[in-house]
């Protein structure tokens, strides 16, 4: 019986994918570092995301992490970006209020803090750590604030795009739709950081704000793609295509449906399993303060569903409030109509996507060998090159091949340490799709052994064929 989650955490630390930050000082919950392999993996995912949106003519910005107070006053984050929390007066443990409800088997979700206080009294809610009565229930703002001046670490990269709307619109030659994007860090003072990359205090977001004329919420035609599980908030479940969901009004807005479909496509393209992915619509109580509709892409990690991408219809909420509170008008003119654009936002959490991909691609071969079945396009290394033994002539030939391959693709790894079986196992564990071994026969006929991670099949190939114009597509 494998324990997937703890196995992933163990491999991630040992092999340099990710590990808890600042561990030499005892570790601080909610912070994780990416190691050498994790950095490559993360960058590969972000590159695919970015290129996919460049395909839709997205324009990108890179704006500060620290944001002045007026921005978040206007956006509603100071007043409303909070979680309901509870602190145990006895042991001082802090929890999200939801956690307390689950621990106490209470199946009701309060709509606001007053209802939460009432629930705590009515059900005599107890602390999950020491079983004392919970009597301190409060709203907890999730933003980090600097101490001596009024700056906040941004909880989403989105506001950096909204405040720049007018400049971007001019840059886009005054045309809508305008697809604005940003890759960067988000910061949230999570009450209960947990499960490694799932709930971090500092995390990686890739966000798109797609600006539309509210009278023309159309971007591109929906295309036929695979069926997927869809859970609208009316209690039904469907296994249909996104296109069909739009035609049947399950996803009512066509532009919104386009970004759901695109998200499904991107996630599958980087290796997410369609059967372990679904889209779930938020209930009205669950939506963020800015959203009129939201669907989450959720991935199955072990046996639980986690949000990895949030897709929200932010309407004109953000631009309107910046129009009212800043020195810039966010109104534009289209055919003599003065409008404030509507926004659809697919917001990708890269850390959760990484954890979902690792968990979905991990398996044990013969109950012994750990394998990460990562897609070629995101694997930290595409190919590993080995000499069969540490003999000078084999090493020289293997290094020659390695250097020649590096001219075509930088994601090539060289290893001469340990038995060949151990070296294969090491590469399987970090998801390298191909291994190439140079042996004595190579000296005679210029062929090498290519070994495939997923089938363990081995075949002889000529070096010239590997290095041919096709790059490594012949493998
Ligand atoms: N701008 C909209 C926004 O930030 P969100 O649903 O709060 O929406 C988007 O966040 C994505 O960011 C989530 O789907 C999740 O993948 C990721 N995310 C949010 N909070 C996170 C946290 N504390 N740790 C790791 N990832 C997080």
């Amino acid at each position: 019986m494998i324990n997937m989650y703890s196995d992933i955490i163990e491999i991630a630390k040992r092999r340099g994918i990710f590990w808890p930050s600042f561990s030499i000082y005892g570790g601080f919950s909610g912070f994780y570092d990416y190691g050498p392999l994790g950095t490559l993996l993360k960058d590969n995912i972000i590159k695919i995301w970015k290129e996919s949106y460049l395909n839709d003519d997205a324009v990108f910005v890179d704006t500060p992490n620290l944001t002045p107070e007026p921005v978040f006053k206007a956006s509603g984050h100071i007043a409303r970006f909070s979680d309901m929390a509870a602190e145990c007066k006895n042991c001082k443990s802090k929890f999200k209020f939801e956690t307390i409800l689950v621990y106490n088997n209470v199946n009701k979700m309060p709509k606001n803090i007053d209802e939460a206080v009432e629930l705590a009294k009515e059900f005599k809610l107890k602390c999950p750590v020491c079983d004392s009565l919970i009597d301190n229930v409060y709203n907890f703002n999730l933003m980090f604030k600097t101490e001596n001046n009024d700056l906040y670490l941004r909880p989403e990269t989105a506001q950096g795009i909204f405040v720049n709307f007018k400049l971007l619109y001019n840059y886009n030659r005054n045309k809508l739709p305008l697809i604005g994007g940003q890759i960067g860090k988000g910061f949230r003072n999570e009450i209960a950081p947990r499960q490694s990359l799932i709930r971090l205090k500092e995390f990686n977001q890739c966000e798109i704000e797609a600006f539309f004329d509210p009278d023309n919420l159309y971007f591109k035609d929906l295309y036929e793609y695979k069926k997927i599980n869809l859970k609208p908030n009316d209690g039904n479940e469907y296994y249909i295509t996104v296109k069909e969901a739009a035609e049947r009004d399950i996803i009512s807005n066509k532009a919104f449906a386009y970004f759901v479909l695109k998200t499904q496509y991107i996630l599958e393209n980087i290796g997410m399993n369609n059967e372990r992915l679904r889209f779930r619509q938020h209930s009205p109580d669950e939506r963020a303060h800015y959203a009129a509709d939201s669907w989450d892409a959720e991935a199955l990690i072990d046996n639980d569903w986690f949000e990895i991408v949030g897709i929200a219809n932010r309407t004109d909420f953000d631009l309107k409030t910046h129009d009212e509170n800043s020195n810039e008008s966010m109104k534009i003119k289209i055919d003599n109509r003065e409008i404030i654009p509507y926004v659809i936002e697919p917001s990708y959490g890269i850390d959760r996507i990484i954890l979902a991909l690792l968990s979905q691609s991990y398996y044990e071969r013969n109950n012994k060998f750990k394998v990460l079945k990562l897609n070629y396009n995101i694997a930290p290394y595409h190919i590993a090159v080995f000499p069969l033994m540490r003999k000078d002539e084999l090493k020289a030939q293997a290094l020659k091949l390695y250097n020649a391959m590096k001219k075509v693709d930088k994601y090539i790894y060289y290893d001469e340490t340990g038995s060949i079986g151990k070296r294969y196992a090491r590469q399987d564990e970090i998801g390298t799709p191909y291994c190439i071994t140079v042996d004595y026969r190579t000296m005679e006929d210029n062929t090498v052994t290519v070994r495939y991670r997923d089938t363990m099949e081995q075949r002889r190939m000529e070096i010239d064929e590997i290095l041919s114009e096709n790059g490594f597509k012949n493998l």
Side-chain angles (χ1 to χ4, degrees), residues 77 81 155-159 162 186-188 190 196-207 209 282 288 290 296-297 307-312 314 345-353:
H77 283 84
F81 195 65
E156 56 171 8
T157 70
Q159 295 303 324
F162 292 129
F187 304 83
R188 294 185 193 175
E190 297 285 358
S196 64
L197 306 182
I198 295 282
R199 191 167 294 145
L200 296 165
K201 291 188 174 176
E202 176 173 340
F203 53 96
N204 293 279
Q205 283 193 318
C206 287
E207 298 203 285
E209 309 304 322
H282 283 197
Y290 48 71
D296 287 344
E307 175 196 345
I308 54 173
V309 181
I311 307 169
R314 293 181 80 133
E345 174 197 67
S347 170
Y348 297 68
I350 299 303
D351 312 278
R352 289 188 191 176
I353 288 176

Side-chain angles (χ1 to χ4, degrees), residues 4 16 62 78 100 129 146 201 236 261 263 272 274 279 289 340 385 450:
M4 192 286 299
D62 187 356
I78 288 180
I100 303 276
V129 173
T146 58
K201 291 188 174 176
N236 289 316
L261 179 52
T263 300
M272 206 72 75
N274 193 53
F279 287 93
H289 64 272
I340 293 188
V385 177
V450 178

Side-chain angles (χ1 to χ4, degrees), residues 197-383:
L197 306 182
I198 295 282
R199 191 167 294 145
L200 296 165
K201 291 188 174 176
E202 176 173 340
F203 53 96
N204 293 279
Q205 283 193 318
C206 287
E207 298 203 285
I208 290 290
E209 309 304 322
F211 298 91
F212 288 94
D213 176 348
D215 288 346
N216 186 12
L217 288 172
Y218 168 82
F219 186 51
K220 287 184 178 174
D221 283 346
L222 297 169
Y223 48 91
E224 282 300 348
Y225 196 56
K226 293 176 204 167
K227 292 182 178 179
I228 182 136
N229 268 312
L230 295 165
K231 268 175 77 87
N233 62 17
D234 59 6
N236 289 316
E237 271 189 50
Y238 301 89
Y239 187 64
I240 53 176
T241 65
V242 174
K243 186 164 187 265
E244 192 182 342
E247 283 160 1
R248 291 169 59 181
D249 251 6
I250 295 164
I251 302 176
S252 49
N253 172 326
K254 296 281 185 300
F256 193 101
Y258 176 83
F259 290 100
V260 174
L261 179 52
K262 187 170 174 83
T263 300
Q264 180 192 359
Y265 183 83
I266 291 176
L267 292 174
E268 281 197 50
N269 191 244
I270 56 176
M272 206 72 75
N273 178 343
N274 193 53
E275 302 301 317
R276 296 167 85 180
L277 181 66
R278 71 178 186 191
F279 287 93
R280 185 182 67 80
Q281 188 179 28
H282 283 197
S283 63
D285 298 346
E286 209 184 334
R287 285 179 204 142
H289 64 272
Y290 48 71
D293 188 16
S294 285
W295 287 72
D296 287 344
E298 295 184 329
L300 202 56
I301 302 180
D302 265 353
N303 291 319
D304 291 320
W305 291 98
F306 289 96
E307 175 196 345
I308 54 173
V309 181
I311 307 169
N313 178 356
R314 293 181 80 133
T315 67
D316 56 4
F317 178 90
D318 300 87
L319 288 189
K320 209 173 188 173
T321 186
H322 291 307
D323 177 80
E324 285 160 7
N325 292 289
S326 74
N327 302 324
E328 179 66 89
S329 160
M330 296 294 174
K331 298 182 185 78
I332 57 171
K333 272 209 155 160
I334 297 181
D335 307 332
N336 292 326
R337 285 178 297 126
E338 191 169 71
I339 62 143
I340 293 188
Y342 261 49
V343 171
I344 290 166
E345 174 197 67
S347 170
Y348 297 68
I350 299 303
D351 312 278
R352 289 188 191 176
I353 288 176
I354 288 175
L355 193 67
L357 282 173
L358 292 177
S359 81
Q360 295 193 2
S361 58
Y362 174 72
Y363 68 96
E364 267 183 23
R365 186 186 289 139
N366 303 331
N367 285 330
K368 187 168 177 201
F369 298 105
K370 299 169 193 296
V371 185
L372 282 181
K373 197 175 170 187
L374 295 176
N375 266 17
Y376 184 91
N377 59 2
I378 61 157
Y381 288 103
H382 294 149
I383 302 165

